[in-house]
Amino acid sequence: MALRYAEWQGWRIEVGGGHAWGRIYCPYNNEVCRCGEFCITSVWRTPKNPTQHARALCRVIDNCTLNQLRGAKSPAAR
């Protein structure tokens, strides 16, 4: 669900990249957005706690500065 949420918010998903299953990329990639700190994040293959990892991914998406300006909220936050 976290990846579907990322897609719904416009984030690009790319499979592959080292130890991670893939990465998600912010659609804005703007210097206003925390200097790019949250513009890319890894999706792990086998996280220790999958539920926590999914919530962390949703938090990254929700903490995107431009996403916050749009007023979007994740299903996990409800």
Side-chain angles (χ1 to χ4, degrees):
M1 280 188 66
L3 292 179
R4 286 189 185 135
Y5 177 65
E7 286 179 321
W8 181 66
Q9 293 295 321
W11 288 58
R12 186 178 81 241
I13 299 170
E14 288 189 8
V15 178
H19 295 290
W21 171 85
R23 290 179 174 222
I24 58 174
Y25 295 85
C26 177
Y28 308 113
N29 199 17
N30 193 319
E31 67 274 356
V32 176
C33 190
R34 299 181 185 229
C35 303
E37 181 181 341
F38 288 104
C39 290
I40 303 170
T41 193
S42 295
V43 179
W44 300 112
R45 291 181 191 273
T46 54
K48 191 177 222 178
N49 186 327
T51 302
Q52 266 188 314
H53 185 52
R55 285 185 183 145
L57 292 174
C58 289
R59 270 194 311 274
V60 167
I61 295 163
D62 290 342
N63 286 333
C64 169
T65 304
L66 295 174
N67 209 22
Q68 286 179 341
L69 293 174
R70 289 179 38 212
K73 273 290 183 196
S74 77
R78 292 181 190 154

